[in-house]
Amino acid sequence: GEDVEQSLFLSVREGDSSVINCTYTDSSSTYLYWYKQEPGAGLQLLTYIFSNMDMKQDQRLTVLLNKKDKHLSLRIADTQTGDSAIYFCAWGAGGYNKLIFGAGTRLAVHP
Amino acid sequence: DGGITQSPKYLFRKEGQNVTLSCEQNLNHDAMYWYRQDPGQGLRLIYYSQIVNDFQKGDIAEGYSVSREKKESFPLTVTSAQKNPTAFYLCASSGQAANTEAFFGQGTRLTVV
């Protein structure tokens, strides 16, 4: 089956870079996603990467995918207090966009 | 504006009662989903529907029921058979293609009292 793992908590100083990691055990899916959840709210798509890509950059966000090690990371440059949230990696499974989610990493940004 | 709306935001239920959570979308999406979120865990899929009048069980369907009579609506009923219903429930919708974005509602927090 498929499983996604994430570390649960990350604390960074404002202005530093944040790196959130995600590992998975097995998947044949085509896309991998990063979602952001602010307190008491739903999830919002941040970015996604196609499985045949190694890297995708979108402004302050950089996604790295290592298929050999089954490892995905999200780097946030110049982290701001507004970036404080829970970040979920998710793996698309099936043609109807069924998503399998990691446990989520809570990012805390302090002055 | 297009979007997906869940109601109510907070819901309290007595033990032994059924409750229904509402989810409505005006994005013209074919697929809709219900997820359950518990602290320290990822989202777990309860039910999903790819098209009107059709739905499938997800990973934790026991104690839940759904209907999909209209494209824009996908209500979730939490029945008395669900032994641990207190959680945050999220509804989502998406198009049919594999890489289309899933849009989420703001969630309903259900508490059993």
Side-chain angles (χ1 to χ4, degrees):
Chain A
E2 299 183 21
D3 191 18
V4 182
E5 296 183 359
Q6 289 183 246
S7 53
L8 293 182
F9 188 76
L10 177 65
S11 178
V12 299
R13 184 176 300 178
E14 189 174 11
D16 288 351
S17 293
S18 307
V19 179
I20 301 170
N21 295 300
C22 174
T23 60
Y24 59 95
T25 55
D26 184 30
S27 178
S28 59
S29 301
T30 306
Y31 296 92
L32 188 66
Y33 304 82
W34 282 104
Y35 279 83
K36 176 182 180 182
Q37 184 183 33
E38 297 189 356
L43 278 67
Q44 184 176 14
L45 179 67
L46 277 180
T47 186
Y48 67 89
I49 188 168
F50 190 55
S51 61
N52 69 354
M53 295 172 64
D54 298 323
M55 185 182 79
K56 179 180 180 181
Q57 186 151 5
D58 183 3
Q59 298 181 335
R60 292 192 298 122
L61 305 178
T62 303
V63 179
L64 297 177
L65 176 61
N66 183 331
K67 290 188 71 176
K68 176 177 174 292
D69 295 337
K70 294 187 171 68
H71 184 263
L72 180 80
S73 67
L74 173 69
R75 179 178 182 270
I76 305 173
D78 187 24
T79 311
Q80 303 298 308
T81 55
D83 294 324
S84 295
I86 302 176
Y87 291 82
F88 292 91
C89 61
W91 201 250
Y96 55 87
N97 205 29
K98 173 184 175 181
L99 295 175
I100 299 169
F101 287 88
T105 298
R106 183 178 295 275
L107 174 65
V109 183
H110 57 87
Chain B
D1 288 349
I4 181 166
T5 303
Q6 289 185 241
S7 62
K9 189 170 177 64
Y10 299 96
L11 186 58
F12 297 87
R13 189 196 90 172
K14 292 182 179 179
E15 286 191 23
Q17 286 183 338
N18 293 354
V19 289
T20 297
L21 282 61
S22 170
C23 180
E24 303 277 332
Q25 54 97 2
N26 60 2
L27 300 165
N28 200 33
H29 284 162
D30 288 310
M32 296 187 74
Y33 315 83
W34 274 105
Y35 289 89
R36 171 180 170 140
Q37 183 178 17
D38 295 283
Q41 298 191 39
L43 277 67
R44 293 183 289 169
L45 184 64
I46 305 172
Y47 267 97
Y48 62 92
S49 169
Q50 299 180 61
I51 198 167
V52 175
N53 292 323
D54 182 65
F55 50 83
Q56 305 294 329
K57 292 182 178 180
D59 301 319
I60 55 165
E62 185 175 352
Y64 300 98
S65 66
V66 293
S67 63
R68 188 81 188 278
E69 297 176 0
K70 298 186 295 183
K71 186 176 185 177
E72 59 270 23
S73 179
F74 192 40
L76 173 74
T77 296
V78 184
T79 74
S80 57
Q82 170 50 237
K83 298 305 179 188
N84 185 22
T86 295
F88 191 55
Y89 291 88
L90 285 162
C91 180
S93 69
S94 72
Q96 289 286 10
N99 67 329
T100 59
E101 178 180 353
F103 288 81
F104 282 80
Q106 292 297 297
T108 294
R109 185 166 298 281
L110 173 63
T111 303
V112 174
V113 296

